[in-house]
Structures are given as structure tokens and as C-alpha cells.
Amino acid sequence: MITRLIEAHSVDFATLRKPPEHQLPVDAGTTMAAPHRTLSTARWMLTFAKIVECGGISAAARALDQDKAVISRQLRDLERSLGLRLLNRSTQHVSLTDVGRAIHDRAVRIVQELDGVRSDVEHVLAVPSGVLSISTSVAFGRLQLVPLLPEFIRRYPQVQVELCLLDRSVDLVEEGFDLLIRLCDEPPQHLSAARICDLSHVLVAASGTLAQAPVIRQPEDLAGRNCLFYGFRNRHTTWQLLRGGIAHAVSVTSSLSVNSSEAARELALAGMGVALLPRYAVAADLKNGRLHRVLPEYRVEGSTGNALFILHMPGRYQSPKIRAFIEFLRSHWLPTPPWEQN
């Protein structure tokens, strides 16, 4: 950026009328490769502008928190690199030469350009903006995330959200997402993870299912029922139930296998069996009585993860749009997410 600014404000020294006393021999010691010379000249020009602004080398050194000798050397290097005397110096004060005045005008423009760049960067870092690409599971996204998006967009109108709902593992880097909202027990170590909340799982069934014999009074009674769970091409599994420090492992079977918690929920609503599902997927059904808890006194281990994480690329500086979205979700889902409230 500095290189481009210097080149944009480069001086055609051939057009400057320079009295002989303004000319200095170019110091061979200042000769360097072009990119390094340009960057060094940029640094020296900024120092030169500060010297003029402050009215002297000592005052400029104090303003820049630099040693006076460093500031003096940078001015000397600038003059030698240009072959021009820019300042008349005495023990009391400094004054611009005629050619120094022309160079100073350009130096001031460079300072103003850099201040503008800094202001633009600070604005970008302060205001969430741009495209925010997010992926999460179909059921969680549809039931819990999508309803919040209108409020987020109203709050941050300069952010455009791209939401991809997928019931499969997603590679954040390869597939170009900013954020993954993942239901798991442990997040991948190569990504930064913000733990949002715990996730509970419940056993649920429709009224018609519960009316069928035999009555489900203990975990072992599940072995005689059709059970619904997340697992494509897997009709046999073991459910873990815990009560009073005692664990119960129950082998269950299903006449159907699905790879979607929404599909398992729909089957439970249709009276096809007892379903093990994350609470967020059936909270509304439990509230309106379409589904009922089975063995509610037991805690059930889920198969889709027991915590909710937001994953993003690691880095020292977090994008404002990412930071804003994480804090937005925290404000809605902490300390207890609505689907976990009785």
C-alpha cells in the first residue's frame, strides 16, 4: 500500500528548478533494490512531514517516540537519496527550502492517504459487513437457526447470510464456509471452537404408540418396541439410559433406518415407534402434546452429539461479522436455550 502511494505521488524532479545550493550529491551508501528503496523513501517522507509539522527534529522525535538521532538520520537519508536539500537547519529552528516545500506538499498528501486507509480499515474492523457463509444440519438449521436470521439481518444490514443445510460432515476450508454450527461431543482440533450450550436427548412417542401393549415402565421394555433413531442402513443399536448413577444399556431394533432426525420425528408422529431425538427437534411437539416423553426420569445419551459448537478458522483477528454472529447466538441461547426450557 505504501509503495503504491509513493508511486502515485512521485515527483518529476526534472521539472523542479533547483538552485545549486539545494543540490546534494547522491550518497552511494543509500543505493538499494527498488522495492526496498521505495519503502524506505516512504518511511523517510513520513518522518520529513512530521519534522515540518512539529517545527524541528527534537519535537518530531518526541511526537514519534523515537530517538532524535534516528529522526535526524532518516531526514539525512531522504535528502541524500533525492540529491536535494529539503530543510535549512540551525541550532534554533528549521525552515523549508524551495524544493523542500514542493516535496513537503507531496509528503502531506501521503500522510493524508495513509490516514484515510487507516480510517477505512478501522471502519471495516468495527462494522460487521460482507457475506457470512454458514452450514449446519438440516433439522437444527430449519427449527432453531432460520427463525433467528431475520432479526440478525435487521440488526446488521450490511451482512449477507448464506446458509447451507446439510446432514453430512462438512469441510469448512475446502467448501468455503465462514462458520460451521456443529452438534458433537468434541470439536476438531484444527479449528477454533466456541461452545454455545449443552444438548440433551429425549425418548418420545405419539399417544397411539404409548397406548399399545406392553406398557413401557423401565428401559428393558424398549427391547420389545419398534425404535426410531438416527442411522442410515443401521437397524440395530444400543441405547444408554442413566438414572441415580445406574446405567442401563438396552439393545433396540427398528423396521426403518433414516439419516435424518426430522425423518425420525415424522415417523414418531405417525405412530411408528419410540424415537431417540435431540430435544431441539421435538421441543414444539412436546409443548403442544403431539409427542410425549418416554421414561422421562432417565437421562439418555444421544447419537448426534451432546454439545453445540460454532467452528471457524483460527486466527488472531476475528472478523466482525463472525464475532457479531457468535455473540448474537449467545444472547439467544445462553444461559439456557429455549428448546431446553420446560
Side-chain angles (χ1 to χ4, degrees), residues 16-27:
L16 295 174
R17 297 182 179 275
K18 304 182 289 294
E21 64 270 18
H22 293 157
Q23 298 180 7
L24 294 174
V26 177
D27 190 343

Side-chain angles (χ1 to χ4, degrees), residues 204-206 265 268-269 277 282 285-286 288-293:
V204 296
R265 168 184 168 272
L269 287 169
L277 290 168
V282 293
D285 299 311
L286 292 172
N288 62 31
R290 297 181 68 194
L291 291 174
H292 305 276
R293 294 280 303 272

Side-chain angles (χ1 to χ4, degrees), residues 45-56 59-61 63-64 104 111:
M45 290 280 275
L46 297 176
T47 299
F48 170 54
K50 181 61 70 173
I51 292 172
V52 176
E53 177 189 336
C54 295
L64 295 172
H104 176 254
V111 172

